[in-house]
Amino acid sequence: MTISYLALVERARRDGCTARLPDFPDLVVTAADLDALPAAARAALEQWLRQCGGAPPPPGVHAGAARAAAALRVPVEVAERPRPRCLSPYALRGMRLVNRLVVSPMAQYMAEDGVPGDWHAVHLGGLALGGAGLVVAEMTCVSPEARITPGCPGLWNDAQEAAWRRIVAFVHARTEARIGLQLGHAGRKGSTRPLWEGFSRPLAEGNWPLLAPSPIAWAEGSQVPRAATEEDLAGIAAQHAESARRAAAAGFDLVELHFAHGYLASSFLSPLSNRRADRFGGSLENRLRFPLMVLGAVRRAVPEAMPVTVRLSCTDWIEGGFTPEEAVQAAIAFRDAGCDMVVASSGQTDPRSRPPAGPMWQVPFARRIRAEAAMPTMAVGGITEPEQAEQVIAEGAADLVAVGRAALYDPWWARHWSHALRAPMPWPPPYAYGGHFARRHVLDPQTVEGRKPHDHAS
């Protein structure tokens, strides 16, 4: 195999290499190559080629031993290009991420008695191998009554903690990712069947009683919840703290509190679902009281170095509901109570809402909170292309970018995005040939020999 010097350099630039490439035994330096070099480099290279004795190359010419007057054994060094911002490291308290790409928590409904099993190990382990800096496990419930479905994972007993510890240990031992846990309480959206059996459909049998700020059912046909008492709320805040303590003991790197999408804390924030006349309802200050109870209890329960974040529905998308202006005020209150980052989501708080979903459609919420609340944010929603992620970070709209459903379609999306951005991540050693295949056949359809991929045997 032969390849010209310029072709190799161009290939290296295209692949985003910043280190020397391996030696090529028959790297031909053509007249065209020499003509394209700067005059000083060309003169130095020509002088060394004439020597042909295997002497070290002159300064500025990266080469090995000469094979012939016009052939060279060369590790090419390419000028370093700026690293994409979305692939740059990030730190939050004591957590260090290798890049700013995140896998959002996505419900699987595959636990038994709240215990995550092999499905979760494969699901989360595979996503962590995919290259994202942070993977967040699905909403994990703080009590049996806090579950959305009977298949939701929990963290209220020793068996669940041990099962989570196994998964966390794999992620830490075999990948560069950090792993977080989302904690929550379903509130009036609980005691339902898995999504694939019908969205928010109550169980056929075995339903458990629900709690909410007010006795308002989620939808027609849903169970009517009981209005939570102050004693109920204090108990639920304590359950969150205990689950967070167990999360830290299991080795998780971060806790995310689910204050979005119409679950219990979110339903306190929205005036559509919170019709209370006591100190937990009415004004935004009152509607924030219960979420702040939970946040404070969790912050006190985990180590100082452990980040605690909040996922927030920044608008209900319904007139008279929670607004983006209130979201900024809520973010400031969370920040002052020890929240380290807001994950800026929206909607799913009322079945009547019709959000205008589209490319990067929720990024403006992250941008606004980051600017007006002066705190870190994570952008979510409609981010499906690497260039979009890079734009979000480069423009300062958010500090991290999360992908959800697209990660189910392509669990290795982060590695694939790194290739598309010409800054390829190293692949896990057992999968190294996958990276080699991607470089040669997917990202660069012409091989170095100029043959099409279908010319090669598998």
Side-chain angles (χ1 to χ4, degrees):
M1 179 187 74
T2 62
I3 179 171
S4 77
Y5 177 84
L6 281 188
L8 186 59
V9 170
E10 176 56 31
R11 183 180 181 83
R13 289 198 183 108
R14 195 167 55 247
D15 286 349
C17 297
T18 58
R20 292 186 177 187
L21 297 176
D23 286 353
F24 283 73
D26 291 297
L27 182 60
V28 175
V29 180
T30 67
D33 295 335
L34 293 175
D35 289 343
L37 291 173
R42 182 170 66 248
L45 182 57
E46 287 176 329
Q47 178 183 359
W48 180 59
L49 286 172
R50 284 194 295 270
Q51 294 177 1
C52 292
V61 178
H62 302 285
R67 287 173 58 93
L72 206 43
R73 187 175 178 85
V74 189
V76 178
E77 186 168 306
V78 182
E80 185 171 351
R81 65 170 62 212
R83 187 161 185 80
R85 293 289 301 277
C86 67
L87 299 180
S88 64
Y90 185 75
L92 196 63
R93 287 191 185 249
M95 182 183 70
R96 302 291 184 268
L97 304 180
V98 295
N99 60 58
R100 296 170 183 248
L101 304 178
V102 181
V103 177
S104 286
M106 290 172 286
Q108 301 295 292
Y109 307 131
M110 294 294 286
E112 295 184 11
D113 297 322
V115 178
D118 290 345
W119 179 276
H120 297 85
V122 173
H123 168 67
L124 294 168
L127 289 170
L129 284 168
L134 175 65
V135 175
V136 184
E138 68 192 276
M139 187 174 103
T140 298
C141 303
V142 299
S143 70
E145 299 76 24
R147 294 173 296 169
I148 307 168
T149 78
C152 289
L155 192 47
W156 64 80
N157 63 36
D158 292 345
Q160 295 158 352
E161 182 181 325
W164 281 120
R165 186 178 293 111
R166 168 199 172 208
I167 294 169
V168 171
F170 172 85
V171 171
H172 286 163
R174 298 297 183 182
T175 81
E176 292 188 314
R178 301 296 87 186
I179 181 168
L181 184 72
Q182 186 185 72
L183 289 178
H185 189 298
R188 66 175 181 159
K189 294 178 77 174
S191 192
T192 64
R193 308 179 196 194
L195 180 63
W196 51 87
E197 294 182 14
F199 179 69
S200 292
R201 290 183 62 191
L203 297 172
E205 57 183 9
N207 286 281
W208 52 85
L210 304 180
L211 289 176
S214 304
I216 303 171
W218 162 250
E220 185 178 352
S222 297
Q223 181 185 158
V224 177
R226 176 174 65 83
T229 65
E230 289 200 26
E231 183 180 3
D232 292 328
L233 298 179
I236 292 169
Q239 289 170 343
H240 277 79
E242 174 61 13
S243 292
R245 184 195 64 76
R246 288 182 178 275
F252 281 101
D253 302 292
L254 169 148
V255 168
E256 176 182 301
L257 298 176
H258 204 341
F259 290 179
H261 302 169
Y263 298 115
L264 185 60
S266 172
S267 64
F268 269 85
L269 292 171
S270 173
L272 300 176
S273 49
N274 184 347
R275 308 285 178 82
R276 298 174 74 106
D278 62 2
R279 67 193 191 104
F280 290 93
S283 67
L284 177 61
E285 179 183 4
N286 283 353
R287 285 181 277 128
L288 275 166
R289 196 176 306 278
F290 172 62
L292 286 171
M293 284 174 56
V294 172
L295 172 59
V298 168
R299 181 68 270 172
R300 292 188 295 271
V302 300
E304 182 67 23
M306 188 177 199
V308 175
T309 65
V310 164
R311 179 173 291 254
L312 180 65
S313 281
C314 296
T315 178
D316 288 337
W317 295 110
I318 295 178
E319 186 176 353
F322 193 72
T323 67
E325 291 74 24
E326 289 183 317
V328 172
Q329 295 306 308
I332 292 171
F334 296 151
R335 180 201 67 195
D336 293 346
C339 173
D340 298 297
M341 173 177 283
V342 167
V343 184
S345 187
S346 71
Q348 302 182 54
T349 55
D350 190 295
R352 297 170 297 170
S353 68
R354 295 294 181 268
M360 302 170 63
W361 64 291
Q362 295 182 134
V363 172
F365 301 126
R367 184 192 302 273
R368 181 171 183 178
I369 288 174
R370 190 173 190 266
E372 296 182 23
M375 69 180 302
T377 59
M378 184 187 304
V380 303
I383 302 170
T384 58
E385 302 292 339
E387 294 79 12
Q388 294 171 338
E390 180 65 6
Q391 177 184 342
V392 168
I393 301 300
E395 292 182 352
D399 300 271
L400 300 176
V401 170
V403 166
R405 297 170 190 177
L408 298 179
Y409 170 74
D410 177 11
W412 286 52
W413 62 278
R415 293 193 189 279
H416 298 155
W417 283 16
S418 76
H419 283 270
L421 292 170
R422 302 306 177 196
M425 299 177 191
W427 286 49
Y431 279 43
Y433 279 111
H436 178 69
F437 176 85
R439 286 190 297 272
R440 293 186 57 144
H441 299 295
V442 179
L443 301 164
D444 182 9
Q446 291 278 353
T447 68
V448 292
E449 295 89 354
R451 292 180 287 176
K452 295 290 186 182
H454 57 69
D455 292 334
H456 294 262
S458 62

